[in-house]
Amino acid sequence: MKIGATIFATDYCIALTELAPALEERGFESLFVPEHTHIPTSRRSPWQGGAELPPEYSHTLDPFVSLAAAAAVTSTLRLGTGICLVTERDPIVTAKAVASLDLVSGGRFDFGIGAGWNAEEMEHHGTRFETRFRVMEDRVRAMQAIWAEDEARYEGEFTSFEPSWSWPKPVQRPHPPILLGGETVHTMRRVMEFCSGWFPRGAQLPDPAGGMERLRATAEDAGRDSATVSTTVFGAPAEAGYLDACRKAGFDRAILRLPSEDRDGVMPLVDRYAALIG
């Protein structure tokens, strides 16, 4: 099982141009960063982690810009969004950003996606909370058309465009792996329909073996070979016992969380986590 890392890339934490090479040198397989375009001050939407939303949520760098910087100083480290909020993005622009990052990284990008939890944040982008999953799927399918076709056209519920040219195309064909975040059976069904991989959160997956059993059953119901679905535990507890349970369950990768701090707060954890790679 591969081991990667995730960090909220912010304007005050360790630079990814320093962190990414350090991860690569120590044998980490990947680096993932999350996305929030902004955080409305109304704070209507409750955060699952508690009452107070940590400051990094409103200080995130653009994931495609920060990962491009990381790509420039690494050669083997895979780079991913964990997650990209496609409900808050124009799909034509995002399709180009994904393809461009895949190109400049030499085909090392993983496109982790999700519908999002902050209702007021997505409302500012014109997406109603109750339609977020339909919007997400529609925009992903529109992007898949752009990546696959020289003259792409798409007609969907929320997205439509006439025959158009858009290059570059992704290096990875037909497109970078699309990993869908979430733990419910509804998420698993969506994975089977239009995604490459399942991207559950470790905090919501206390039983990795049980999660894999549900995924295999969902794949069987959908008529898809579960072996074609990659599996990544995002934000997995950095504990040998939990990671061993993920390995035994058959997960392909676990992503360990780093704090959004300076190098003195991050690098000791990088070294400690490196001991878990094996």
Side-chain angles (χ1 to χ4, degrees):
M1 185 178 71
K2 305 178 189 74
I3 300 292
T6 181
I7 189 171
F8 270 85
T10 69
D11 53 351
Y12 57 80
C13 75
I14 185 173
L16 291 198
T17 49
E18 180 178 5
L19 176 61
L23 293 171
E24 186 171 85
E25 290 166 4
R26 289 160 176 77
F28 287 84
E29 180 261 353
S30 53
L31 170 63
F32 283 76
V33 298
E35 172 179 45
H36 281 280
T37 58
H38 68 302
I39 298 295
T41 59
S42 68
R43 299 297 305 112
R44 285 190 286 114
S45 296
W47 177 55
Q48 288 184 339
E52 295 297 324
L53 189 70
E56 57 261 33
Y57 280 79
S58 55
H59 283 256
T60 53
L61 304 184
D62 178 273
F64 294 99
V65 173
S66 58
L67 291 174
V73 293
T74 55
S75 57
T76 61
L77 190 74
R78 289 199 66 84
L79 305 162
T81 47
I83 57 175
C84 175
L85 296 169
V86 294
T87 52
E88 301 179 5
R89 284 184 161 268
D90 178 281
I92 298 173
V93 174
T94 306
K96 184 175 285 286
V98 168
S100 299
L101 180 53
D102 200 50
L103 178 66
V104 301
S105 68
R108 290 186 281 138
F109 180 58
D110 282 11
F111 191 31
I113 65 167
W117 57 269
N118 191 316
E120 54 269 38
E121 180 181 350
M122 65 184 72
E123 285 168 4
H124 288 186
H125 291 279
T127 296
R128 300 197 317 275
F129 189 74
E130 61 270 20
T131 67
R132 66 195 186 283
F133 293 110
R134 299 191 343 250
V135 170
M136 176 186 69
E137 179 175 352
D138 184 66
R139 291 182 179 174
V140 170
R141 290 191 184 278
M143 288 188 277
Q144 288 172 327
I146 292 171
W147 297 325
E149 303 166 19
D150 286 350
E151 291 190 6
R153 63 171 298 159
Y154 184 78
E155 187 69 38
E157 182 181 3
F158 300 96
T159 307
S160 63
F161 47 83
E162 297 177 352
S164 304
W165 297 315
S166 179
W167 276 272
K169 302 301 183 185
V171 172
Q172 300 177 90
R173 304 301 291 161
H175 49 68
I178 300 174
L179 317 178
L180 179 56
E183 301 77 35
T184 70
V185 67
H186 303 292
T187 294
M188 294 179 182
R189 288 171 181 159
R190 293 184 184 103
V191 168
M192 301 308 156
E193 292 173 2
F194 63 93
C195 296
S196 313
W198 182 41
F199 206 33
R201 296 163 292 178
Q204 305 298 322
L205 193 73
D207 177 17
M212 285 296 288
E213 288 176 6
R214 290 189 290 117
L215 183 72
R216 294 186 183 109
T218 305
E220 184 176 355
D221 290 343
R224 180 170 172 180
D225 182 356
S226 62
T228 66
V229 180
S230 69
T231 50
T232 299
V233 182
F234 182 75
E239 302 166 359
Y242 185 85
L243 297 178
D244 188 52
C246 291
R247 288 189 186 95
K248 290 179 179 176
F251 277 91
D252 299 309
R253 174 168 57 188
I255 307 297
L256 309 182
R257 193 179 302 278
L258 294 168
S260 188
E261 297 178 6
D262 62 18
R263 72 176 322 278
D264 291 339
V266 171
M267 289 309 301
L269 278 177
V270 169
D271 290 331
R272 181 158 71 84
Y273 290 173
L276 297 169
I277 300 172

